[in-house]
Amino acid sequence: MNPIARCPRALAAAMCALALALVGTPARAEQFTVAGASDTVAVSQGQTFTLDLVVRDAGPAFNAFDLCVRFDPARLTNTPMSPLSAQRGALMTSACTTNSPFHLFTPTPDSLVCTMVILCHGVTVTGPGTIYHVRFTAGNTDAWTTVTFGAGTTFYNGGPRVDTLVRLPIVIQIGSPVLDAGGVSSRPVTAELDAVAPNPAHRPGVLAVSFRLPRADAAEVTLLDSLGRRVAGSARARLEAGAQRLRLGLPRLAPGRYTLVLRTGAGEVRTRPWVVLR
């Protein structure tokens, strides 16, 4: 099975649980990063190890999430914890002492779908903090591989989604991977979005965007206002690997903070802040 295929979503169960969580306040549109506690993890061949999945930012608040965790089954094997409740992160379990959080875990050979909802009225949490743990056993070959968060990864605040979500991959080094013929590490690379320039800007009519793709992939770039609403963007298109540059035509923008977002077909999301002046 292709390790970058779309993860299944436990949508029906998540919706039922969210109905119990009661409607809260709309989520604020701020940068929100889900990642591993460490960007790179070194393990031995055959080693069983645990990844702590964290929210790195102080806001916005949330009370539920879906995680879609993807990995290469040729390099990693998921080894569920026993009991499964041990996979719950402290940020979610410490928020409510009267009810255990709703927890659903669905493993497949190349992905994990995890849903958690805090079941206390009006209770939310905010990062930074650990939200979940996943355990893997490394393969018996020296290699670089990655654990990524798929497009199904979503956070909620009483129903509304938390926008501007950044998903950072976790690089796993198994053993001592050899260098390629040119003496360069075979460590995997990820999509990169360059900083916006000029920043701040005085109501430009066009925004120049540059980014890089590690491999041929579908990609789109969107510009969001401070409320997370799309104000401009490119059409989703398949692009070749390497450096890319495009120009976004802009409407008349009000002064304020904006976020440029790059999304790829592989589920990578990169963001850059941008400020428009009067």
Side-chain angles (χ1 to χ4, degrees):
M1 182 181 294
N2 187 337
I4 65 170
R6 179 182 296 274
C7 288
R9 296 283 309 277
L11 184 58
M15 290 181 66
C16 290
L18 285 171
L20 295 175
L22 302 179
V23 174
T25 57
R28 293 174 292 165
E30 301 175 10
Q31 180 166 309
F32 185 74
T33 304
V34 59
S38 177
D39 292 332
T40 304
V41 178
V43 298
S44 303
Q45 291 185 24
Q47 179 181 341
T48 297
F49 61 99
T50 300
L51 294 181
D52 296 332
L53 308 183
V54 304
V55 168
R56 292 188 174 178
D57 309 291
F62 62 95
N63 72 335
F65 63 74
D66 290 324
L67 292 183
C68 178
V69 182
R70 303 187 303 194
F71 58 93
D72 183 351
R75 306 295 188 193
L76 300 173
T77 301
N78 174 239
T79 307
M81 295 182 180
S82 181
L84 280 177
S85 59
Q87 297 185 173
R88 305 169 183 172
L91 188 63
M92 301 296 288
T93 58
S94 63
C96 173
T97 58
T98 57
N99 295 309
S100 297
F102 173 86
H103 179 205
L104 184 66
F105 174 70
T106 307
T108 75
D110 65 351
S111 67
L112 310 170
V113 175
C114 321
T115 296
M116 286 192 69
V117 183
I118 297 172
L119 297 180
C120 281
H121 174 55
V123 174
T124 61
V125 295
T126 183
T130 301
I131 58 172
Y132 209 75
H133 309 280
V134 288
R135 181 175 291 172
F136 293 100
T137 299
N140 294 319
T141 303
D142 291 348
W144 293 100
T145 190
T146 55
V147 174
T148 61
F149 297 92
T153 298
T154 309
F155 287 73
Y156 306 90
N157 184 355
R161 295 175 56 176
V162 175
D163 294 319
T164 322
L165 178 64
V166 180
R167 309 175 186 93
L168 297 182
I170 308 165
V171 177
I172 310 297
Q173 177 187 342
I174 303 174
S176 301
V178 298
L179 304 180
D180 62 21
V184 178
S185 170
S186 58
R187 173 175 173 161
V189 294
T190 59
E192 298 178 9
L193 176 63
D194 291 338
V196 182
N199 189 12
H202 290 275
R203 293 189 176 182
V206 175
L207 178 62
V209 180
S210 58
F211 58 95
R212 282 166 295 283
L213 299 177
R215 63 191 67 83
D217 197 356
E220 63 179 331
V221 175
T222 55
L223 184 66
L224 306 179
D225 65 12
S226 60
L227 297 178
R229 298 174 299 195
R230 176 185 171 117
V231 296
S234 68
R236 189 177 182 87
R238 185 166 181 81
L239 303 171
E240 296 301 318
Q244 311 290 335
R245 188 171 178 84
L246 57 84
R247 293 166 64 85
L248 293 182
L250 302 177
R252 184 173 177 82
L253 298 175
R257 296 180 63 86
Y258 293 81
T259 302
L260 186 67
V261 183
L262 167 68
R263 300 179 188 274
T264 72
E268 294 183 85
V269 179
R270 300 290 180 267
T271 66
R272 289 287 187 174
W274 188 45
V275 175
V276 174
L277 302 177
R278 294 184 182 276

